[in-house]
Amino acid sequence: MNQKIKLLLFKIGILGLATLGTIEALYQINPYAKKEAEISYTASIIEKYGRLKALPSPKIVLVAGSNFAYGINSQMIQDSLHLPVVNMAMHYNYGSDFMLRQIEPQLHKGDIVVMGFEYIVESKGNIGEKITMARMYPEAARWFDYESPIQYLKENAIARIANMRLTIDRFISNDIPPAVEDTTSIFFRRAINKYGDLISHLNNPSLKVIPPAILDDSTSMLPAIADMNHFYSRVSKNGVKAYYTFPSYARSSYKADKPVLDRLNKQLTEGLMFPVLGKQQDFIFADSLCQDMVYHLNAKGRDLRTGLLIGLMKKEMNKK
């Protein structure tokens, strides 16, 4: 190998190390980290988990993806059932395993957990979203595992590149901070109320046409059912009660997806080891009650759905 080639390779190596060093420095010392924590929807875990830790037992803990975030009025539940409530729901893509591991350490005798996972939830979810949460709330690192050292290296490399892109975006943008009072923003840290409910969408106009869901023959609730059953077998030993309730769903998509939904309904009703609140058909809502997708309810829809859930919970809780 001649001297010129060696020099070229040396320069390429130095450039590569400098690039990696810059990416890592931006990841570790992000000048926009404070701003990101102030506006990121992911950072709302800080308020949600703070409430979960602070509430005395017995309490009601709601856990699911965005169908609970959009579609529950926790104050209605608290006022009706006279138990403090926290809505831990954020996004289905965290996965059922992560969401259940998240709440389990804070559950005690007398607590009630209501799960309402979407039909598209997976057990493992998206690890990149979990890494992002762990950066903003380090305790979240305990709620997931890496499948291998290779996955750890790959996903953390992707996280660093994504952070660099976001840092650049923050540098060149002059975005107006989102607020609950505006009629466009939805996902940001202060988009929730003190119970953990998403409220930023309540004064936003709903879509006139709700896009169809994406369900097919490969869709299965079985991995999530296994997670829920394992979770129940652990927490029930400590006097914690658990229920499942169906996610809200737009009527137009229900008609189109009925064969798949019938199969998923059977998986849930036959596979879960603990009570199911209501029937799948109870939680099919007119498209006019949906906000922007099949799982998301608007202000009127969420109050109707919450009233239905309260009735079902009262009936179950009054059983001897």
Side-chain angles (χ1 to χ4, degrees):
M1 185 181 296
N2 63 43
Q3 195 66 25
K4 288 185 178 180
I5 295 177
K6 288 182 179 179
L7 181 60
L8 176 63
L9 292 176
F10 176 76
K11 289 181 177 178
I12 291 172
I14 293 297
L15 180 61
L17 288 174
T19 301
L20 291 174
T22 300
I23 293 173
E24 183 64 22
L26 283 174
Y27 190 76
Q28 297 297 337
I29 311 172
N30 186 342
Y32 295 96
K34 183 177 180 180
K35 180 178 180 181
E36 189 63 22
E38 289 174 351
I39 64 174
S40 171
Y41 179 59
T42 303
S44 65
I45 186 61
I46 297 169
E47 282 72 37
K48 285 174 176 279
Y49 212 73
R51 180 171 175 82
L52 176 65
K53 284 183 171 182
L55 288 184
S57 296
K59 59 183 177 288
I60 296 172
V61 181
L62 307 172
V63 60
S66 58
N67 93 92
F68 264 21
Y70 271 78
I72 294 290
N73 184 333
S74 292
Q75 185 176 356
M76 282 179 62
I77 297 176
Q78 182 165 300
D79 291 347
S80 296
L81 301 182
H82 308 294
L83 290 172
V85 179
V86 57
N87 188 346
M88 294 299 296
M90 292 183 69
H91 183 33
Y92 85 94
N93 215 16
Y94 287 113
S96 53
D97 177 69
F98 178 86
M99 289 185 269
L100 294 172
R101 287 173 65 176
Q102 179 186 77
I103 65 172
E104 186 171 345
Q106 306 304 326
L107 298 177
H108 308 287
K109 184 177 180 180
D111 288 347
I112 298 171
V113 177
V114 181
M115 296 169 255
F117 297 117
E118 290 82 355
Y119 300 118
I120 53 175
V121 73
E122 296 178 349
S123 175
K124 296 304 179 184
N126 184 297
I127 196 165
E129 294 197 24
K130 302 172 192 178
I131 293 171
T132 299
M133 182 181 285
R135 284 202 72 201
M136 296 186 176
Y137 192 69
E139 193 166 344
R142 302 177 184 178
W143 306 333
F144 69 99
D145 305 303
Y146 294 97
E147 294 178 358
S148 67
I150 292 176
Q151 186 191 40
Y152 173 85
L153 292 172
K154 175 186 174 183
E155 295 297 338
N156 278 276
I158 292 172
R160 282 157 171 75
I161 293 171
N163 177 75
M164 182 181 68
R165 291 173 177 169
L166 184 60
T167 301
I168 294 171
D169 287 343
R170 291 280 181 251
F171 177 75
I172 63 177
S173 68
N174 285 313
D175 295 338
I176 299 173
V180 169
E181 294 76 20
D182 69 43
T183 59
T184 55
S185 304
I186 294 179
F187 297 116
F188 52 98
R189 181 171 177 179
R190 303 298 177 181
I192 62 173
N193 62 14
K194 69 176 184 178
Y195 303 98
D197 302 337
L198 192 69
I199 57 172
S200 52
H201 67 295
L202 297 182
N203 65 328
N204 293 5
S206 302
L207 292 182
K208 293 181 179 179
V209 178
I210 302 301
I214 303 175
L215 296 179
D216 56 39
D217 291 339
S218 67
T219 306
S220 175
M221 291 289 292
L222 294 178
I225 289 169
D227 288 340
M228 287 187 277
N229 283 339
H230 291 152
F231 167 81
Y232 172 70
S233 67
R234 294 191 300 270
V235 301
S236 61
K237 295 175 183 177
N238 298 322
V240 176
K241 293 182 179 180
Y243 303 108
Y244 179 82
T245 186
F246 294 93
S248 52
Y249 208 75
R251 183 165 293 138
S252 58
S253 285
Y254 174 72
K255 293 177 181 178
D257 298 330
K258 194 173 185 306
V260 177
L261 290 171
D262 284 347
R263 175 171 54 81
L264 299 177
N265 179 56
K266 185 176 181 180
Q267 289 178 356
L268 287 162
T269 54
E270 294 182 359
L272 288 173
M273 297 166 51
F274 50 91
V276 176
L277 301 174
K279 300 178 180 179
Q280 185 183 65
Q281 293 83 354
D282 296 335
F283 295 93
I284 307 303
F285 293 89
D287 286 26
S288 61
L289 298 173
C290 297
Q291 181 70 26
D292 53 17
M293 69 170 296
V294 296
Y295 290 112
H296 296 168
L297 296 175
N298 58 26
K300 184 177 180 180
R302 81 165 191 152
D303 285 354
L304 288 172
R305 189 262 192 97
T306 303
L308 172 62
L309 181 59
I310 289 170
L312 292 167
M313 290 181 69
K314 282 183 175 179
K315 183 177 179 180
E316 190 65 36
M317 291 165 66
N318 288 333
K319 287 183 179 179
K320 295 183 179 180

